[in-house]
Amino acid sequence: MAVVPRPAWLDSAVFYEIYPQTFYDSNGDGIGDIQGIIERLDYVRDLGCTALWINPCFDSPFKDAGYDVRDYLAVAPRYGTNEDLVRLFDEAHGRGMHVLLDLVPGHTSEEHPWFRRSQQAKRNEYSDRYIWTSNAFEGYSMPFIGGESERDATYILNFFKCQPALNYGFASRDRDWQSSTDSRAAKGTRDAMVEVMRFWLRKGCDGFRVDMANSLVKNDGDDKPETIRAWQEMLGTVKAEFPDSAFASEWGTPEQALAAGFDMDFYLDWRWNGVPNGYNLLARNVDGPLNIAEDRSYFSAHGGSSIRPFLDQYLPQYEKTHEQGSFCFITCNHDTPRMAPRLTDRERRVGYGMLLTMPGVPFLYYGDEIGMRYREVPTVEGGYARTGSRTPMQWNAEPNAGFSTADKDSLYLPVDPSPDAPTVEGQLADDGSMVHWIMDLLRLRSEHAALRSNAGFSPVAAPGDGRLFAYGRDSRNGDEHLLVALNPGLDEESFELPGHAEAPRALLSEGTVDVGSGRVRMGAQSFAVIAL
């Protein structure tokens, strides 16, 4: 793949993730829409966010909340029209903002026209667009019979029964029905996905967040060489035509994702069988989204952990990849339990302080800036336990928290009914609220080159037996040096200032912070950005 420079606009970008069905309902039908996003663009801009990531808004039967795409080239009618989406691009660009759409390249809905043709017994141009076994009773590692079709075969699924896997080939083959990654069928799938990206980029889209980007090629092993090669081909083609487009991968292994041609990879929240990854150690080190008593998260005041286990996982990944692209932090996302109410307002302030000042391009999930809570609600559209992080945005004290004028029984999901449920309007009126803390953090980030996504990063204090963490951020040209320090614990801790600190001063702080006498003293649950 030819090397295409990362888009310059990413260096200062801050993304705001929008779940379209629950952000803002402009027409009173109980579900959010594109016009609703347009009407709230000024709010997102004023927060300090410069870009949007919009979860799938394409035509779908919505058995997996839109990740089961029925037509990649058409907006779902419940959200509006293609013309509405183009208008969103234009309105965002007029505000100096960029827009990423959500691309689902690994599978489609079983109702997609490609799959309808692929199901037919008579061979046609789509017969091999999906992965079919040699007969209906050979299910391979998937369900015994994946679904009913004219063909004497069954199809391989991705995740849900309604999501047949697209055919990008097999890295290693142990059945005669498996295509190679160099086959005409696999090449056809890659070409088709390039055409999808071209379609929206030509209409003004600025790029894509890519769902499960590491899962295209089957039997690809842990190193994913063939999936990387597939993306190098696809992204190389697209970026040659649209060099300012940006791509973020749901991969979780930046060394692979950035080698594949992505500009950004997410530090995903993983917890398998009770074993946390680095991000989980920071923010959600507990089984259960509402389990406060047993939470050992670094951001929890009672968690007790030091920053060292996180750094042991993060630093090797950062050091290998930071010159190639960004390893991005999220406050949360549509698949992850929100930090509230498990973590208190103060705990989240300290945590967001770190997440929004670390290297990489930060992603703020809608509603986190006001402290929206994870709620235990019945599953909707395949959300299951994730549904509790997808409830409607809380705008004001009007019915349905200002999300919609529809009857509350007609809403896509119920609004938080608590009397103390935070709202945008209420928090904007309170200078000491979470939304103002987020705005202050993002304003500071925009004003200082040392906080850019690709600015330098180096740990300064990370004791193994304390809660303290301090790190330097240095501008690329070496003109600016900042120090970020946090103490999520309940006891005061301190550390020695770097030798080059001549007249340190706190630019932004939370809690008790004393910058003087060559040392920084951090009171309980405190955070500071310090100019050196």
Side-chain angles (χ1 to χ4, degrees):
M1 182 187 71
V3 176
V4 179
R6 193 175 80 146
W9 61 268
L10 285 179
D11 292 341
S12 57
V14 177
F15 279 87
Y16 190 83
E17 180 189 352
I18 291 177
Y19 200 65
Q21 50 266 63
T22 53
F23 188 61
Y24 185 61
D25 171 19
S26 71
N27 60 6
D29 65 357
I31 190 166
D33 45 51
I34 292 170
Q35 177 60 31
I37 297 173
I38 293 172
E39 292 180 17
R40 298 297 183 174
L41 277 177
D42 286 347
Y43 164 74
V44 177
R45 178 200 60 195
D46 293 346
L47 273 179
C49 294
T50 64
L52 306 178
W53 157 27
I54 300 175
N55 292 118
C57 57
F58 307 127
D59 181 49
S60 169
F62 293 104
K63 296 179 181 179
D64 185 17
Y67 282 90
D68 50 327
V69 177
R70 183 164 51 198
D71 186 347
Y72 288 108
L73 308 184
V75 168
R78 75 186 197 182
Y79 299 134
T81 65
N82 284 18
E83 290 72 24
D84 291 329
L85 188 53
V86 170
R87 190 158 50 87
L88 171 58
F89 299 152
D90 292 341
E91 292 282 351
H93 295 161
R95 293 167 172 80
M97 302 170 73
H98 294 81
V99 181
L100 298 191
L101 298 179
D102 213 322
L103 181 68
V104 187
H107 56 263
T108 69
S109 164
E110 61 191 346
E111 298 181 21
H112 196 291
W114 295 347
F115 188 68
R116 295 297 195 206
R117 294 288 304 280
S118 191
Q119 286 182 301
Q120 295 173 5
K122 184 177 180 180
R123 285 195 61 80
N124 60 71
E125 62 181 309
Y126 296 101
S127 294
D128 298 323
R129 179 60 53 86
Y130 298 83
I131 304 172
W132 293 88
T133 66
S134 58
N135 66 76
F137 298 99
E138 185 181 355
Y140 201 49
S141 61
M142 301 299 179
F144 200 61
I145 296 181
E148 306 78 21
S149 298
E150 293 180 14
R151 296 175 66 160
D152 181 17
T154 192
Y155 52 90
I156 301 302
L157 305 175
N158 277 355
F159 315 115
F160 283 71
K161 71 174 182 61
C162 58
Q163 294 175 167
L166 286 164
N167 185 10
Y168 291 87
F170 283 70
S172 62
R173 292 175 286 162
D174 54 16
R175 300 288 192 280
D176 58 7
W177 48 263
Q178 296 169 353
S179 302
S180 74
T181 56
D182 293 322
S183 66
R184 181 179 178 182
K187 173 66 173 170
T189 304
R190 296 194 298 270
D191 290 346
M193 205 51 57
V194 166
E195 287 305 312
V196 170
M197 291 185 272
R198 280 188 176 125
F199 179 85
W200 290 110
L201 289 167
R202 286 168 178 159
K203 290 185 177 296
C205 169
D206 297 296
F208 298 89
R209 173 268 187 186
V210 179
D211 180 67
M212 296 301 293
N214 63 343
S215 67
L216 300 190
V217 176
K218 304 304 182 185
N219 293 353
D220 202 15
D222 293 337
D223 293 339
K224 305 293 181 181
E226 291 300 321
T227 299
I228 290 171
R229 191 162 69 97
W231 279 117
Q232 287 176 339
E233 176 189 316
M234 291 187 288
L235 293 180
T237 300
V238 171
K239 282 175 166 284
E241 298 176 31
F242 303 92
D244 214 31
S245 60
F247 292 82
S249 60
E250 185 185 26
W251 199 304
T253 308
E255 188 173 10
Q256 296 174 7
L258 300 181
F262 286 94
D263 304 292
M264 302 171 278
D265 186 30
F266 289 108
Y267 206 153
L268 298 172
D269 178 32
W270 286 345
R271 187 178 184 83
W272 302 114
N273 298 320
V275 179
N277 77 333
Y279 188 87
N280 195 264
L281 288 169
L282 286 179
R284 306 175 232 284
N285 190 7
V286 67
D287 291 321
L290 300 175
N291 187 346
I292 298 172
E294 298 179 24
D295 188 5
R296 295 296 175 262
S297 302
Y298 175 69
F299 294 152
S300 169
H302 299 275
S305 64
S306 81
I307 195 65
R308 293 285 287 277
F310 162 76
L311 289 177
D312 288 344
Q313 293 193 33
Y314 173 72
L315 281 176
Q317 299 178 89
Y318 168 78
E319 289 166 356
K320 288 179 181 177
T321 62
H322 68 93
E323 293 294 343
Q324 285 74 54
S326 290
F327 196 22
C328 300
F329 287 91
I330 60 172
T331 60
C332 180
N333 69 19
H334 61 290
D335 287 333
T336 302
R338 293 188 188 270
M339 293 189 200
R342 180 177 44 81
L343 296 181
T344 67
D345 179 271
R346 185 66 168 268
E347 289 167 335
R348 282 179 281 114
R349 286 175 188 244
V350 173
Y352 293 157
M354 177 181 164
L355 296 177
L356 297 176
T357 58
M358 285 287 282
V361 182
F363 282 72
L364 176 66
Y365 187 49
Y366 84 98
D368 279 353
E369 74 275 14
I370 62 170
M372 279 181 58
R373 303 156 176 157
Y374 177 87
R375 299 181 57 228
E376 291 186 325
V377 294
T379 182
V380 169
E381 294 185 351
Y384 300 106
R386 303 171 299 177
T387 308
S389 292
R390 303 175 177 184
T391 55
M393 182 65 169
Q394 295 153 202
W395 293 102
N396 53 44
E398 296 176 4
N400 301 322
F403 161 70
S404 172
T405 58
D407 182 86
K408 68 177 183 178
D409 294 330
S410 301
L411 300 183
Y412 176 82
L413 282 172
V415 173
D416 188 343
S418 305
D420 63 345
T423 66
V424 170
E425 185 178 84
Q427 292 224 342
L428 287 176
D430 177 3
D431 289 342
S433 67
M434 177 66 80
V435 77
H436 281 284
W437 175 244
I438 295 294
M439 293 169 76
D440 288 344
L441 281 165
L442 296 183
R443 185 179 305 112
L444 194 72
R445 186 181 179 97
S446 71
E447 293 171 352
H448 292 274
L451 294 178
R452 296 286 189 267
S453 64
N454 63 349
F457 167 78
S458 57
V460 171
D465 59 354
R467 308 299 313 282
L468 185 72
F469 181 34
Y471 48 94
R473 298 297 316 276
D474 304 304
S475 61
R476 298 285 287 187
N477 62 11
D479 289 346
E480 184 178 46
H481 307 280
L482 298 183
L483 186 67
V484 180
L486 59 150
N487 172 20
L490 297 172
D491 299 315
E492 179 184 293
E493 297 192 37
S494 66
F495 65 98
E496 188 173 344
L497 279 166
H500 62 274
E502 297 178 359
R505 59 188 177 89
L507 301 176
L508 179 67
S509 63
E510 174 74 21
T512 302
V513 180
D514 180 14
V515 182
S517 304
R519 295 188 69 81
V520 177
R521 300 186 183 279
M522 305 290 295
Q525 297 182 280
S526 59
F527 172 87
V529 178
I530 301 164
L532 300 180

